[in-house]
Amino acid sequence: MPTRTASRAASTPARLQRENAQDEIYEKITAAILEHRLHPGTKLVEERLAEIFGVSRARIREVLARLAHEQIVELYPQRGAYVAKPTIEQARDVFEARRLIEPAVIRRLVDTLTPDKLEQLRRHQDLEMDARRRDDKRAVIRLSGEFHSLAAELAGNSALARSMRELSVLTCLMIFLYDAPTTTSCRADEHSQIIDAIAKRDAARAERLMLEHLEHIEGSMKLEAASEEVDLEAIFR
């Protein structure tokens, strides 16, 4: 008869496999939101997503609950899960939070800067610029949002990084709802200027550039709601 310790050990690979599957589904849904393939207000049907990802509805429910905790998804009793549609007031709250958090991220990143961290920022910016040259709008939007999350991760504070990731995804939803149709989330040269200031360890300039950058993003937004039916299978396959 297997011991309790042996049973726990045997269950560990299965638990890790389950957690990895959840993380993969979470990342795919998040990426679809960042790239504006999933629009604000889109219904996320548990049964359909379970079929697409080849998992149980319970697994999908866990992922949706995680996204709801991050305010990226809204759950309604008897109605289901929907991609969040931030209000104008919520949009202002997000930018107020970002104006408080991102200067702190910049200061910490400058204080802890290493050649490897700088190289990661440069590589990410190269990817973003390449996407712009190819006119890959979805990749530009995703990479622009991920730049801010990457900076927070490199700063080395897990709480800041988690908050920044959530705020970046919410900002992408807000851009779709309220931005001018022809713009993207970030101007082409602003990330490069921020990175250059970080490279020179000029925290004051980097903070100022970041705040101006956020002001430009927020200033481009206007009240413009939009929703439409989407094919979830086409997005994830």
Side-chain angles (χ1 to χ4, degrees), residues 112-164:
T112 61
L113 189 65
T114 64
D116 179 64
K117 289 182 178 182
L118 182 59
E119 177 61 22
Q120 288 187 62
L121 289 172
R122 298 283 194 201
R123 283 201 303 268
H124 189 91
Q125 181 63 0
D126 286 344
L127 291 174
E128 185 181 334
M129 297 306 293
D130 179 64
R132 290 182 186 277
R133 283 191 294 270
R134 293 184 286 104
D135 198 29
D136 187 342
K137 292 182 174 60
R138 287 178 173 174
V140 170
I141 292 169
R142 174 176 53 80
L143 290 165
S144 295
E146 288 176 349
F147 169 79
H148 297 264
S149 299
L150 174 63
E153 289 171 11
L154 295 176
N157 183 305
S158 60
L160 284 176
R162 184 169 57 252
S163 297
M164 196 62 251

Side-chain angles (χ1 to χ4, degrees), residues 2 13 28 33 43 48 50 56 65 70 78 91 105 112-113 121 144 152 163 191-192 221 223 229:
K28 286 184 176 180
I33 292 172
K43 186 172 184 178
R48 194 74 188 97
S56 67
E70 297 174 359
Q78 311 305 319
V105 166
T112 61
L113 189 65
L121 289 172
S144 295
S163 297
H191 287 169
S192 296
M221 292 188 179
L223 182 58
E229 294 291 328

